[in-house]
């Protein structure tokens, strides 16, 4: 049987200080290979200042069909948003 | 149709212009349609490296050689983005390559034509990549998330490909009589196959019904072909190239060009495997796939060894 090596997910930080964003996947047999392939595939035009690679099998994901129930706890807590509060008229810089 | 009347979450998402993601439930036919389309797209990128690779050692300058190498590397990268997108649908890379080798999966017909002169590299970048861009820009709005994201990434990179091709043609059209003739000859040979890249006419397109219903495909073959013709004719005119279609004519009513009949007989012949380079393209791919086997095996063996040491 042929092998196409393991599947890794690639996360790129565009500028230092920014968030790491999922860019795509690569096939590689070890972490150094995964990192180099990710560099060659996803940062050929200076798209990145740093890269994370992680084995796809190590990612735990929520289920789309459970989304409603899963995210339910956030639905009734509008007081977490600043717009919930009434500010006294005339108050500045708040 | 009102949203509430739609039965499945899948249909509701499609209707609401939301993307379908790998873990969403989807009809089996949708999954299979995408695997066929995305893998054909991936194979096209990879096989497309061959006609261009033919000119790496004979590029006319170091600048041209560097650019061509970078472009070919991009095509390989595009293939990888697309294979990854296909894999999210539950098919392995091994299976995808096997389907190509067994002739069960296809690649774009255009790459079964030879690159005879340096002008062909210009024509491929300008016309073939130009046609691909028109198609891929429309596919950015496709309903499957991973495919759509791959299209955004690819489109961002393709515009350099088209511009470098057009620059080659423009440079040759400012050259000697012989160079001009070479550019026109490439134009004559690549124009019609480029129009065929968009596939059969809408009235004769076997896979379109479901693809539109599921929003995999957003624009029809003829719409996309028209778009390509309308923008390319002007570009040809600017550098003094003639479109090899005596029936090409501006149509004031539709604000677009009418074109002469496409030779679908030739299209079918090439798809059936009788194009000038079908055999060569597949043999080359199979040969180098086998030649690379030991590298993959060595990488696996190294992984095993490292894991026993840790």
């Amino acid at each position: 049987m042929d092998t196409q090596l393991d599947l890794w997910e690639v996360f790129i930080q565009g500028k230092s200080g920014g968030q790491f964003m999922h860019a795509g996947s690569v096939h590689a047999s070890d972490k150094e290979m995964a990192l180099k392939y990710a560099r060659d595939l996803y940062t050929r035009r200076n798209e990145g200042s740093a890269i994370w690679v992680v084995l796809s099998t190590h990612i735990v994901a929520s289920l789309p069909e459970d989304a409603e129930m899963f995210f339910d706890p956030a639905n009734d807590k509008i007081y977490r948003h600043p717009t919930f509060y009434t500010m006294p008229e005339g108050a500045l810089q708040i | 149709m009102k949203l509430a009347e739609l039965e499945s979450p899948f249909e509701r998402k499609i209707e609401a212009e939301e993307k379908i993601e790998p873990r969403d439930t989807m009809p089996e036919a949708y999954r299979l349609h995408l695997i066929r389309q995305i893998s054909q797209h991936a194979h096209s990128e990879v096989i497309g490296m061959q006609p261009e690779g033919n000119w790496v050692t004979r590029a006319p300058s170091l600048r041209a050689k560097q650019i061509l190498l970078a472009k070919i590397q991009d095509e390989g990268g595009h293939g990888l983005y697309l294979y990854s997108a296909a894999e999210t649908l539950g098919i392995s890379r091994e299976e995808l390559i096997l389907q190509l080798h067994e002739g069960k999966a296809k690649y774009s017909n255009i790459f079964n034509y030879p690159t005879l002169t340096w002008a062909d590299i210009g024509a491929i970048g300008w016309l073939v990549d130009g046609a691909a861009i028109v198609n891929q820009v429309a596919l950015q709005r496709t309903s499957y998330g991973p495919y759509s994201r791959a299209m955004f990434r690819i489109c961002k990179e393709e515009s350099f490909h088209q511009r470098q091709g057009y620059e080659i043609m423009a440079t040759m059209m400012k050259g000697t009589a012989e160079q001009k003739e070479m550019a026109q000859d490439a134009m004559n040979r690549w124009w019609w196959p480029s129009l065929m890249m968009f596939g059969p006419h809408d009235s004769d397109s076997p896979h379109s019904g479901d693809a539109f219903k599921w929003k995999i495909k957003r624009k029809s073959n003829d719409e996309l072909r028209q778009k390509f013709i309308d923008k390319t004719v002007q570009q040809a005119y600017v550098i003094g190239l003639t479109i090899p279609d005596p029936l090409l004519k501006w149509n004031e009513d539709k604000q677009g060009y009418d074109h002469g009949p496409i030779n679908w007989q030739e299209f079918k012949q090439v798809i059936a495997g009788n194009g000038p380079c079908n055999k060569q393209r597949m043999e080359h791919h199979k040969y180098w796939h086998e030649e690379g086997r030991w590298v993959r095996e060595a990488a696996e063996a190294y992984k095993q060894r490292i894991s026993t040491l840790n």
Side-chain angles (χ1 to χ4, degrees):
Chain A
M1 184 56 192
D2 192 15
T3 172
Q4 288 288 319
L5 316 178
D6 299 325
L7 185 65
W8 299 68
E9 298 305 319
V10 180
F11 299 83
I12 306 278
Q13 184 190 38
K15 281 183 195 140
S16 87
Q19 299 186 51
F20 283 74
M21 300 266 281
H22 183 243
S25 328
V26 288
H27 283 230
S29 60
D30 65 75
K31 53 192 179 184
E32 282 163 65
M33 190 194 275
L35 206 51
K36 282 181 182 159
Y37 280 5
R39 176 200 60 193
D40 291 348
L41 193 54
Y42 293 103
T43 60
R44 285 197 300 279
R45 290 172 174 79
N46 296 318
E47 292 95 334
S49 60
I51 301 176
W52 291 343
V53 288
V54 57
L55 271 170
S56 298
T57 50
H58 288 183
I59 288 182
V60 183
S62 64
L63 290 166
E65 56 264 37
D66 293 347
E68 206 174 319
M69 197 176 62
F70 191 69
F71 294 106
D72 175 73
N75 286 345
D76 56 355
K77 296 179 183 61
I78 47 169
Y79 45 81
R80 285 210 160 112
H81 299 279
T83 47
F84 176 77
Y85 299 92
T86 316
M87 292 293 102
E89 205 157 319
L92 301 172
Q93 298 192 48
I94 181 154
Chain B
M1 227 181 316
K2 288 203 191 84
L3 286 188
E5 287 169 14
L6 294 166
E7 284 298 313
S8 69
F10 172 81
E11 285 171 315
R12 274 199 296 271
K13 276 196 158 186
I14 294 284
E15 182 65 22
E17 292 286 330
E18 282 174 36
K19 301 291 180 211
I20 304 300
E21 293 296 335
R23 290 158 66 96
D24 289 334
T25 17
M26 59 186 91
E28 184 63 3
Y30 176 82
R31 195 178 71 85
L32 295 176
H33 186 109
L34 278 169
I35 289 178
R36 195 188 66 239
Q37 181 169 336
I38 302 174
S39 73
Q40 171 169 346
H41 202 156
H43 297 322
S44 302
E45 298 281 357
V46 170
I47 297 292
M49 293 195 282
Q50 290 186 38
E52 300 193 304
N54 184 33
W55 280 90
V56 170
T57 57
R58 290 171 290 163
S61 68
L62 182 58
R63 176 185 185 268
K65 185 183 288 208
Q66 284 176 312
I67 292 170
L68 186 56
L69 278 170
K71 179 178 190 297
I72 294 169
Q73 192 191 14
D74 273 356
E75 307 297 5
H78 296 174
L80 293 177
Y81 304 154
L82 288 159
Y83 282 129
S84 295
E87 287 169 67
T88 63
L89 292 157
I91 186 166
S92 71
R93 185 80 59 92
E94 291 92 323
E95 286 171 271
L96 290 167
I97 293 171
L98 193 66
Q99 287 182 350
L100 174 68
H101 288 176
E102 288 179 343
K104 289 179 190 155
K106 302 227 177 283
Y107 56 89
S108 179
N109 238 3
I110 195 90
F111 302 117
N112 289 319
Y113 292 88
T115 40
L116 304 178
T117 72
W118 175 249
D120 289 31
I121 298 302
I124 286 185
W126 175 41
L127 299 174
V128 176
D129 288 318
I133 289 171
V134 169
N135 186 35
Q136 287 166 342
V137 165
L139 280 172
Q140 288 177 339
R141 289 178 57 234
T142 195
S143 61
Y144 188 56
Y147 192 25
S148 161
R149 293 193 282 275
M151 285 299 109
F152 273 99
R153 194 172 282 281
I154 288 175
C155 286
K156 226 162 47 181
E157 299 184 356
E158 283 281 357
S159 63
F160 128 59
H161 298 183
Q162 200 196 6
R163 292 176 66 126
Q164 67 86 33
Y166 189 49
E167 190 196 75
I168 290 173
M169 295 304 256
T171 307
M172 293 186 83
M173 289 306 286
K174 277 189 272 180
T176 64
E178 213 180 346
Q179 285 166 332
K180 285 184 199 173
E181 198 183 314
M182 206 180 264
Q184 184 61 54
D185 171 61
M187 175 87 201
N188 295 349
R189 283 182 291 107
W190 290 94
W191 174 253
W192 291 104
S194 298
L195 297 194
M196 292 176 199
M197 279 176 72
F198 296 97
H201 287 305
D202 298 348
S203 50
D204 192 26
S205 182
H207 304 301
S208 279
D210 284 344
F212 275 109
K213 188 178 79 190
W214 291 325
K215 297 183 180 170
I216 293 172
K217 209 175 155 92
R218 306 306 303 255
K219 286 213 155 66
S220 78
N221 294 354
D222 285 332
E223 277 178 273
L224 294 168
R225 185 165 20 239
Q226 186 69 50
K227 206 171 192 158
F228 171 72
I229 293 171
D230 291 346
K231 65 179 202 170
T232 308
V233 170
Q234 190 269 344
Q235 292 163 4
Y237 176 77
V238 167
I239 57 175
L241 279 167
T242 306
I243 305 276
D245 179 357
L247 296 174
L248 189 85
K249 213 176 107 212
W250 178 254
N251 182 329
E252 191 62 33
D253 288 340
K254 74 170 185 186
Q255 287 293 302
Y257 286 92
D258 290 334
H259 62 83
I262 294 170
N263 183 352
W264 295 113
Q265 205 49 44
E266 176 187 322
F267 180 75
K268 283 178 193 143
Q269 278 294 310
V270 180
I271 282 196
N274 304 318
C277 300
N278 300 54
K279 200 160 167 278
Q280 181 188 339
R281 300 291 184 240
M282 282 313 300
E283 276 175 6
H284 185 86
H285 194 279
K286 284 180 190 163
Y287 178 80
W288 287 105
H289 186 70
E290 280 311 308
E291 282 292 298
R293 182 181 289 277
W294 73 268
V295 180
R296 297 189 292 277
E297 286 172 358
E300 277 296 329
Y302 177 73
K303 181 180 84 176
Q304 300 301 335
R305 173 95 180 112
I306 290 291
S307 69
T308 57
L309 290 178
N310 288 341

